[in-house]
């Protein structure tokens, strides 16, 4: 069985959309994706990349086309709850460290559910510690404990190490997927990811 990884950052709407579709692929293939928290800002710094709205903002027709593709993806997968975050861009350092802590503590799936919904369905300001705590508490996790955990050095070091390792493997943005050592970038490559999973099983 192939090892399938999903490298994500909550600050990316495309990461949210991929997260919503991944369970469909898991159900069809029997493969469980390993979620790997990475810091998108760190990836951009290490690779010289920029957010699309900066990199392509002045290119005639490209932003409009990218929005069209996003709307097609939303329609194809019935992502009716998606709402662009009114506080965008959100500094994701705290919630990505929280994801590392949640993974260490064995509650990452529940944490991802809470934070992705807070970011891209409820449009909350998820770089405000009190907003983060309240969202986690409402979702059934111990917000105060997680906010305490993100100050711990092993959590900080793990996020940095995984971000750096992701870049060394070829990542330049999020979401990025690996099927064993094959890299696929972006939500629009999920069909290719699924094909690769099936190919490795055959």
């Amino acid at each position: 069985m192939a090892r399938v990884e999903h490298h994500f950052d909550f600050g990316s709407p495309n990461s949210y959309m991929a997260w919503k579709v991944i369970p469909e692929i898991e159900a069809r293939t029997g493969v469980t994706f390993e979620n790997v928290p990475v810091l998108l800002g760190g990836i951009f710094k290490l690779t010289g990349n920029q957010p699309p709205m900066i990199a392509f903002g002045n290119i005639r027709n490209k932003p409009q086309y990218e929005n069209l593709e996003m709307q097609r993806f939303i329609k194809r997968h019935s992502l009716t709850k998606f709402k662009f975050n009114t506080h965008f861009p959100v500094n994701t350092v705290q919630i990505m460290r929280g994801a590392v802590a949640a993974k260490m503590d064995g509650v990452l799936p529940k944490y991802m559910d809470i934070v992705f919904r807070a970011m891209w369905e409820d449009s909350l300001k998820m770089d405000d510690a009190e907003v983060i705590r309240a969202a986690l508490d409402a979702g059934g996790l111990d917000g105060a404990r997680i906010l305490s955990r993100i100050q711990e050095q092993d959590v900080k070091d793990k996020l940095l190490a995984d971000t750096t390792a992701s870049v060394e493997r070829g990542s330049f943005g999020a979401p990025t997927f690996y099927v064993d050592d094959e890299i696929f970038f972006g939500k629009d490559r999920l069909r290719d990811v699924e094909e690769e999973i099936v190919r490795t099983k055959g």
Side-chain angles (χ1 to χ4, degrees), residues 2-173:
R3 180 182 182 186
V4 184
E5 299 171 49
H6 166 220
H7 295 211
F8 74 95
D9 185 305
F10 293 115
S12 163
N14 291 319
S15 284
Y16 162 84
M17 292 180 193
W19 167 75
K20 293 289 284 186
V21 174
I22 283 170
E24 301 171 13
I25 299 174
E26 291 179 325
R28 286 192 294 265
T29 63
V31 170
T32 299
F33 283 57
E34 177 188 350
N35 295 298
V36 181
V38 293
L39 191 61
L40 188 54
I43 289 177
F44 284 168
K45 184 175 181 180
L46 290 168
T47 62
N49 197 4
Q50 294 179 314
M53 65 173 53
I54 296 175
F56 307 127
N58 294 321
I59 300 176
R60 182 178 177 182
N61 297 331
K62 185 170 178 64
Q64 292 81 2
Y65 178 77
E66 292 298 327
N67 183 64
L68 175 62
E69 286 286 19
M70 178 179 284
Q71 295 307 316
R72 287 171 174 164
F73 192 93
I74 289 170
K75 184 177 180 180
R76 181 183 307 125
H77 298 286
S78 301
L79 304 181
T80 56
K81 294 182 179 180
F82 174 76
K83 182 190 304 180
F84 200 86
N85 194 298
T86 56
H87 304 286
F88 187 85
V90 172
N91 185 322
T92 60
V93 172
Q94 292 183 91
I95 50 178
M96 293 315 301
R97 286 177 180 168
V100 171
K103 189 172 184 178
M104 289 178 173
D105 294 347
V107 294
L108 181 58
K110 187 170 187 177
Y111 180 90
M112 290 176 70
D113 184 67
I114 294 167
V115 177
F116 266 131
R117 291 181 190 280
M119 275 288 298
W120 299 110
E121 295 180 10
D122 300 329
S123 196
L124 298 182
K125 186 172 171 43
M126 293 297 285
D127 51 9
D128 182 310
E130 282 306 305
V131 174
I132 297 168
R133 182 193 58 76
L136 294 174
D137 286 347
L141 291 178
D142 187 337
R145 171 181 162 76
I146 292 175
L147 285 172
S148 175
R149 289 274 282 130
I150 69 176
Q151 302 302 324
E152 296 173 8
Q153 196 60 47
D154 62 333
V155 171
K156 296 178 181 180
D157 290 346
K158 178 63 173 170
L159 180 59
L160 176 60
D162 284 352
T163 299
T164 302
S166 188
V167 170
E168 291 302 314
R169 289 179 68 185
S171 298
F172 54 88

